[in-house]
Amino acid sequence: MHRSIPVRSETGDLTGGHPYAAVGNGPRALVVLPGLGDAMFTGVYPPFAGWALAPYFARYLDEYRVYLCSRPRGLPSGYDATRAADDHARSIEAVAESSEAVDVIGVSMGGLIGQSLARRRPDLVDRLVLANSACRLDEDARSDARELERYAREHDWASIRSKLAVDMFSDGRAITYPPMIRTIGRALLPRPAEPADVWRSLEMILGYDGCDRLDDIDQPALVFGGERDPYFTARLARETAAELPNGDLELVPGAKHGAFHERKRTFDATVRSFLDR
């Protein structure tokens, strides 16, 4: 009689103090680099976090062990994508068996880090997915990012989350989430372990421009975004995919900055097809 193998799950810290949660039994490693929201919690994944993530990453678990790799708490002043990529490289080496390359999904800010990682450590990155990310922030979105930075310096986490909800979702959540965040969310949602990590992350996003270095990324790369993304716009997504030597593009009509989550079936089907080629 065939006996199913329990899904492996673990949490902890990788080299350099990178908190992580992992789930899956697959032979390949898939590393997910999260966006700005990563700075807005304690940085400690509870023991059950991996199992809690299993349904979210179910589309990948037959082939992959998925690692959600956070950034360390207490980011230094001047933190940039180069520093982030070098730090993540050391943490990824701890999960890649024998120096085997891993596949990487970089979400928003994580996509900026993923680009730098692919350039600096081509031996470590096999395939790269840029989820609601591009080679830089859209010029028209810089004022929005500075507004978020101001909220961060004022420790106004509810305003950050409310604005992001509006900018991420194209459905009713853009309307219902902000009042919930500003009321019961103030008591229930986590607070950053290190408030400065939030504005230093935003400084990194504002300072990043890799558009003239895309041809240094030789790995197959997929740019996945929303047609209405206000931060990494459809125009930038198209330009990024076009300048990548092995770039593919998938834009979801009507979707905004949360297309990777709001249109998850489309995202998972597109990404899995890309990774399996």
Side-chain angles (χ1 to χ4, degrees):
M1 180 182 294
H2 174 73
R3 182 175 298 174
S4 62
I5 300 174
V7 174
R8 293 171 52 212
S9 171
E10 64 186 45
T11 61
D13 289 324
L14 296 170
T15 303
H18 289 256
Y20 81 102
V23 63
N25 303 331
R28 299 164 66 187
L30 177 63
V31 174
V32 180
L33 305 179
L36 173 66
D38 182 62
M40 294 185 60
F41 83 114
T42 62
V44 177
Y45 289 105
F48 58 80
W51 285 300
L53 289 169
Y56 195 80
F57 292 118
R59 186 67 178 80
Y60 308 92
L61 299 185
D62 62 323
E63 183 67 19
Y64 286 95
R65 182 159 176 77
V66 180
Y67 293 83
L68 178 59
C69 291
S70 288
R71 293 175 286 279
R73 305 302 98 164
L75 300 179
S77 178
Y79 186 75
D80 61 12
T82 298
R83 168 71 182 267
D86 291 346
D87 288 349
H88 272 293
R90 288 188 286 271
S91 71
I92 291 172
E93 285 173 340
V95 304
E97 296 184 0
S98 321
S99 79
E100 182 181 346
V102 303
D103 293 327
V104 174
I105 298 176
V107 180
S108 189
M109 174 184 174
L112 309 183
I113 297 170
Q115 292 170 60
S116 186
L117 180 65
R119 284 195 301 268
R120 297 177 66 80
R121 290 297 304 272
D123 61 308
L124 204 56
V125 178
D126 189 19
R127 292 177 182 269
L128 175 65
V129 177
L130 305 180
N132 284 99
S133 189
C135 59
R136 64 172 174 83
L137 189 70
D138 188 79
E139 193 65 31
D140 290 341
R142 296 182 70 82
S143 60
D144 290 325
R146 291 193 183 97
E147 181 182 10
L148 293 172
E149 183 184 355
R150 176 171 60 81
Y151 290 147
R153 292 182 183 275
E154 294 170 353
H155 295 195
D156 187 353
W157 316 124
S159 290
I160 292 177
R161 290 187 168 108
S162 295
K163 177 167 177 52
L164 289 177
V166 172
D167 292 339
M168 288 182 69
F169 296 110
S170 60
D171 59 14
R173 285 173 285 191
I175 298 172
T176 60
Y177 276 14
M180 292 172 60
I181 289 167
R182 291 182 178 280
T183 53
I184 60 174
R186 290 185 183 274
L188 297 179
L189 293 173
R191 294 172 178 267
E194 295 287 347
D197 288 351
V198 184
W199 68 73
R200 285 175 179 161
S201 295
L202 286 158
E203 287 174 346
M204 195 215 90
I205 295 168
L206 283 160
Y208 183 88
D209 189 341
C211 295
D212 61 350
R213 291 170 288 167
L214 290 170
D215 57 359
D216 291 334
I217 300 175
D218 292 326
Q219 299 93 327
L222 168 67
V223 181
F224 181 96
E227 286 277 9
R228 295 172 57 206
D229 189 329
Y231 294 103
F232 299 101
T233 59
R235 177 185 60 81
L236 270 175
R238 292 188 184 97
E239 292 176 2
T240 299
E243 292 298 321
L244 287 163
N246 294 293
D248 286 354
L249 174 67
E250 180 75 19
L251 287 173
V252 183
K256 298 167 77 174
H257 190 55
F260 68 93
H261 177 68
E262 185 181 27
R263 310 295 177 86
K264 192 153 189 312
R265 285 188 179 182
T266 300
F267 176 75
D268 286 344
T270 304
V271 170
R272 189 60 199 263
S273 177
F274 166 75
L275 295 176
D276 287 346
R277 285 201 312 232

